[in-house]
């Protein structure tokens, strides 16, 4: 049963992150996920100090607020200080992460966490942390409920606002011209990324979240020219990575989250080699292909 | 020479725009008549794109205001369309030509709703108008520059607006496509639409447009093409640049013996 919970948690994290990742890579903001995953550290520490417990909800709240603050800071430095986007990401998250490290070291006697547990997480402990109601009913691991609800939120966002997200991603100036607020959709998306990152850190850890945010989406990008299909493929690769990752980890008796992230990379490499359109095997025939298109367009 | 018109479709009053405190446009004051095919002409860095971005509300104004149909942009957004520069988007985006044209329907569809069959039919029809009906499902990176530009034009057509602002629609397209596009723009204006185009080729401007704005940070002239295309005004717009002045001389000669007829 516990391996089922672990795989399910991994799959929920993977699908949530892969779907969001599709938008991130097309907006050239892949590294924002990386930034958020580090920058939430002071939020987690502060939430711990204020609430005095390792309860999930205050942690999520503290980290979520910091995550959104991070995206604001990145935007602010980029727009107002005229810093390049990547430079403002670099300034923001290293600084916030360092702040978190200092907070931990200063309050070390009061704080029962360290940066390692935030950065690496431990998915193997997921089945141990179950949600038991006041009446004593066992509802299964907490992580499943938290990741499940965030996935539902992400799905609601994509289903109701598919066209808004699409047009603000593809052509922000046209979107603004027809009256869609690009800033609003940017922050909605970034809030979702913050939530997903923060909720995942307990299980797969902040660093491996980045693998799920970027790699399955990048794999899907190599394989399709249709955005809907890219979302579906990314989700499928996410699930596949967590199942295969778990099998690999139990074979070699290694880190489960590490094995899952390794699988995302392996699937990416396979796609890179065998992609029907962009794969390196295909590129040998590139000359024929362009010749074909020119002929087609003459028709 | 700035000619103001009664009942203008577009009114720009005392418009000043600055990027990081460096002014790009100074005190632009102009009105455009409905149904005109207007060219915004000026040297590089004259603020041509900035002017239409400011009109579309895409950049903050330092001073002044813009009225379309006598109202604020937010009240009439559905009737206003915009074609950004082709290089402003990533053409490797996983979308087909039809997907992009369908975006032209988004403002009509309304928040949280999905495009319907009728919207798809409009999009297909607009692709047909620009001659790309056979490319509807082609991924956009596999279109030529001219075809991509026509996809943008089709998207604007799908919006079924009354006034269109186009940023360099002739940039990087071949002569045949340019002729096809100008033909479409002319058909639009004869059916009562107003089209405003950022353009930087003086030679073709004379024959393409029936109204011209000469811009070089300040508005030098606004009026019917034949009144605005004078040596003095062009010289004022382009300054003392020798090569340009030589071109201006050529142009004026051509104006006296027009080689190309304006069929609009």
């Amino acid at each position: 049963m516990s391996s089922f919970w672990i795989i399910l948690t991994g799959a929920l994290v993977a699908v949530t992150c892969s779907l969001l990742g599709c938008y991130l890579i097309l907006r050239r903001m892949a590294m924002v996920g990386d930034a958020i995953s580090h920058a939430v550290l002071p939020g987690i520490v502060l939430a711990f100090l204020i609430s005095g417990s390792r309860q999930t909800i205050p942690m999520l709240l503290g980290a979520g607020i910091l995550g959104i603050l991070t995206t604001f800071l990145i935007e602010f430095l980029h727009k107002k200080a005229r810093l390049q986007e990547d430079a403002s990401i670099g300034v923001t998250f290293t600084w916030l992460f360092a702040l978190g490290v200092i907070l931990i070291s200063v309050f070390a006697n009061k704080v029962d966490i360290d940066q390692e547990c935030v950065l690496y997480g431990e998915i193997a402990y997921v089945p141990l942390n179950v949600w038991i109601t006041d009446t004593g009913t066992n509802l299964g691991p907490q992580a499943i409920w938290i990741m499940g609800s965030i996935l539902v939120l992400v799905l609601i966002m994509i289903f109701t606002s598919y066209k808004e997200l699409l047009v603000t991603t593809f052509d922000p100036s046209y979107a603004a011209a027809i009256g869609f607020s690009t800033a609003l959709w940017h922050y909605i998306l970034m809030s979702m990324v913050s939530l997903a990152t923060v909720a995942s850190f307990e299980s797969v850890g902040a660093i491996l979240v980045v693998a799920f945010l970027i790699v399955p989406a990048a794999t899907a990008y190599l394989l399709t020219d249709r955005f809907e299909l890219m979302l579906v493929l990314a989700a499928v690769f996410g699930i596949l990575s967590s199942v295969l990752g778990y099998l690999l980890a139990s074979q070699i008796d290694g880190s489960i989250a590490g094995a899952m992230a390794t699988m995302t990379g392996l699937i990416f490499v396979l796609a890179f080699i065998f992609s029907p359109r962009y794969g390196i095997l295909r590129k040998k025939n590139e000359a024929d292909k362009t010749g074909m298109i020119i002929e087609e367009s003459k028709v | 020479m700035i000619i103001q018109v009664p009942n203008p479709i577009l009114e720009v009053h005392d418009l000043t725009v600055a990027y990081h405190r460096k002014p790009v446009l100074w005190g632009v004051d102009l009105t455009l008549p409905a149904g005109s095919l207007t060219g915004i002409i000026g040297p590089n860095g004259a603020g041509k794109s900035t002017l239409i971005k400011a009109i579309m509300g895409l950049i903050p104004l330092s001073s002044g205001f813009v009225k379309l149909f006598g109202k604020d942009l937010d009240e009439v957004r559905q009737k206003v369309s915009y074609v950004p520069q082709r290089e402003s988007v990533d053409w490797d985006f996983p979308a087909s030509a039809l997907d992009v044209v369908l975006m032209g329907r988004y403002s009509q569809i309304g928040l949280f709703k999905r495009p319907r069959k009728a919207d798809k039919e409009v999009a297909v029809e607009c692709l047909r108008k620009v001659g790309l009906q056979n490319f509807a499902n082609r991924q956009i990176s596999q279109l030529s520059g001219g075809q991509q530009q026509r996809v943008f034009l089709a998207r604007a057509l799908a919006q079924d607006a009354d006034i269109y602002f186009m940023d360099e629609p002739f940039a990087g397209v071949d002569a045949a496509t340019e002729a096809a596009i100008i033909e479409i723009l002319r058909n639009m204006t004869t059916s009562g639409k107003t089209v405003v185009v950022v353009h930087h080729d003086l030679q073709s401007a004379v024959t393409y447009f029936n109204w011209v704005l000469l811009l070089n940070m300040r508005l030098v002239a606004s009026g019917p093409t034949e009144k605005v295309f004078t040596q003095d005004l062009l010289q004022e717009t382009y300054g003392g640049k020798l090569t340009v002045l030589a071109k201006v001389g050529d142009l004026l000669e051509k104006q006296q013996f027009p080689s190309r007829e304006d069929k609009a």
Side-chain angles (χ1 to χ4, degrees):
Chain A
M1 196 59 194
S2 80
S3 47
F4 169 76
W5 289 128
I6 292 172
I7 293 176
L8 184 60
T9 310
L12 287 172
V13 170
V15 173
T16 310
C17 292
S18 322
L19 291 175
L20 292 169
C22 289
Y23 291 99
L24 288 184
I25 67 167
L26 289 172
R27 286 168 176 249
R28 298 170 190 278
M29 291 170 53
M31 293 327 284
V32 171
D34 191 19
I36 290 175
S37 61
H38 286 76
V40 294
L41 185 63
I44 293 168
V45 180
L46 285 176
F48 184 86
L49 285 172
I50 293 167
S51 73
S53 72
R54 271 188 71 170
Q55 286 282 308
T56 310
I57 301 300
M59 294 261 186
L60 267 182
L61 222 65
I65 291 171
L66 251 289
I68 293 164
L69 180 74
T70 309
T71 61
F72 268 106
L73 266 178
I74 292 172
E75 275 297 289
F76 178 80
L77 290 178
H78 179 48
K79 292 259 162 70
K80 300 286 173 200
R82 297 173 64 189
L83 215 55
Q84 290 83 349
E85 183 112 36
D86 48 354
S88 48
I89 290 175
V91 170
T92 309
F93 89 87
T94 50
W95 181 72
L96 284 172
F97 182 71
L99 210 65
V101 173
I102 288 184
L103 280 175
I104 289 181
S105 59
V106 170
F107 297 101
N109 51 337
K110 290 183 207 153
V111 183
D112 178 28
I113 48 177
D114 55 38
Q115 50 267 49
E116 252 103 272
C117 86
V118 174
L119 285 182
Y120 302 122
E122 184 48 78
I123 201 168
Y125 294 157
V126 161
L128 303 178
N129 191 4
V130 289
W131 183 16
I132 296 168
T133 57
D134 295 339
T135 54
T137 327
N138 185 344
L139 292 174
Q142 272 187 7
I144 301 282
W145 288 95
I146 293 166
M147 279 321 297
S149 18
I150 290 173
L151 176 58
V152 169
L153 275 181
V154 169
L155 286 174
I156 290 176
M157 174 184 79
I158 293 176
F159 274 103
T160 57
S161 319
Y162 180 80
K163 71 176 197 301
E164 284 80 2
L165 285 167
L166 182 68
V167 71
T168 50
T169 303
F170 171 65
D171 191 347
S173 55
Y174 180 73
I178 60 172
F180 289 16
S181 167
T182 46
L184 176 72
W185 291 105
H186 171 82
Y187 286 119
I188 288 178
L189 193 64
M190 285 304 122
S191 313
M192 285 294 177
V193 174
S194 303
L195 269 181
T197 314
V198 166
S200 322
F201 82 83
E202 274 195 317
S203 41
V204 301
I207 289 184
L208 296 180
V209 171
V210 182
F212 285 120
L213 271 176
I214 301 171
V215 188
T219 312
Y221 179 78
L222 288 184
L223 293 175
T224 179
D225 285 337
R226 301 176 48 81
F227 185 64
E228 299 105 314
L229 202 58
M230 181 175 164
L231 288 171
V232 174
L233 283 179
V236 170
F237 292 139
I239 295 171
L240 211 60
S241 313
S242 50
V243 175
L244 294 178
Y246 184 81
L247 296 178
L248 173 70
S250 50
Q251 277 297 312
I252 59 172
D253 197 20
S255 152
I256 300 169
M260 287 178 175
T262 305
M263 278 301 161
T264 63
L266 212 62
I267 295 175
F268 176 82
V269 170
L270 288 178
F272 180 61
I273 297 173
F274 295 109
S275 160
R277 190 162 270 158
Y278 307 110
I280 48 176
L281 286 187
R282 175 74 201 189
K283 279 190 180 134
K284 285 181 186 158
N285 308 324
E286 192 76 353
D288 306 348
K289 195 182 96 189
T290 35
M292 219 170 64
I293 286 176
I294 290 167
E295 249 163 56
E296 252 180 84
S297 51
K298 276 183 194 156
V299 179
Chain B
M1 184 189 66
I2 294 160
I3 295 175
Q4 306 289 357
V5 296
N7 303 319
I9 192 160
L10 166 71
E11 181 190 358
V12 175
H13 182 73
D14 188 30
L15 182 91
T16 297
V17 177
Y19 279 132
H20 309 298
R21 299 195 184 171
K22 233 168 96 193
V24 192
L25 283 176
W26 268 108
V28 172
D29 233 355
L30 65 91
T31 46
L32 283 188
S36 61
L37 179 49
T38 299
I40 304 180
I41 318 278
N44 287 337
K48 305 187 291 286
S49 296
T50 306
L51 177 59
I52 62 172
K53 279 184 191 151
I55 294 170
M56 289 308 300
L58 298 176
I59 44 177
L61 311 182
S62 303
S63 79
F65 65 79
V66 173
K67 295 265 182 204
L68 289 144
F69 310 95
K71 292 179 179 157
D72 284 336
L73 176 65
D74 279 326
E75 296 172 63
V76 291
R77 228 178 249 281
Q78 294 235 351
K79 296 202 274 179
V80 185
S81 190
Y82 172 59
V83 178
Q85 283 185 18
R86 187 161 56 86
E87 303 87 65
S88 68
V89 305
D90 172 17
W91 291 93
D92 283 328
F93 197 93
S96 67
L98 186 65
D99 289 337
V100 175
V101 178
L102 210 46
M103 289 177 190
R105 303 298 300 163
Y106 283 8
S107 55
Q108 263 95 334
I109 293 168
L111 205 63
F112 303 134
K113 293 201 191 105
R114 290 171 158 256
R116 289 173 211 196
K117 211 176 153 218
D119 296 307
K120 275 214 175 105
E121 280 162 10
V122 173
V124 170
E125 172 63 18
C126 291
L127 271 172
R128 197 193 55 73
K129 277 185 198 159
V130 299
L132 290 178
Q133 60 273 31
N134 297 329
F135 295 83
N137 294 317
R138 176 79 51 95
Q139 204 262 328
I140 49 176
S141 69
Q142 295 175 23
L143 299 170
S144 70
Q147 288 168 337
Q148 290 172 347
Q149 195 65 63
R150 280 188 280 162
V151 167
F152 262 11
L153 184 58
R155 178 175 69 178
L157 290 174
Q159 202 182 329
D160 196 22
D162 289 325
I163 183 165
Y164 295 80
F165 294 93
M166 305 188 179
D167 205 343
E168 304 253 13
F170 302 120
V173 307
D174 59 32
T177 308
E178 183 161 335
I181 292 178
I182 197 71
E183 191 58 39
I184 294 166
L185 302 188
R186 280 184 181 141
N187 288 338
M188 286 161 72
T189 49
T190 44
S191 61
K193 314 277 189 188
T194 307
V195 181
V196 181
V197 176
V198 171
H199 191 56
H200 61 217
D201 180 35
L202 281 172
Q203 228 94 36
S204 51
V206 190
T207 53
Y208 285 174
F209 307 113
N210 55 25
W211 195 277
V212 164
L213 306 178
L214 291 179
L215 195 69
N216 192 352
M217 287 181 73
R218 294 165 191 277
L219 185 68
V220 176
S222 164
T225 312
E226 63 275 10
K227 286 192 185 162
V228 165
F229 258 73
T230 64
Q231 179 136 26
D232 290 348
L233 288 172
L234 286 171
Q235 205 163 337
E236 198 183 330
T237 313
Y238 282 86
K241 291 174 196 159
L242 279 174
T243 48
V244 176
L245 279 182
K247 256 191 186 171
V248 169
D250 281 359
L251 270 174
L252 292 173
E253 247 169 66
K254 272 187 190 149
Q255 231 178 334
Q256 280 152 12
F257 309 100
S259 55
R260 283 193 260 187
E261 281 294 314
D262 190 348
K263 277 177 268 181

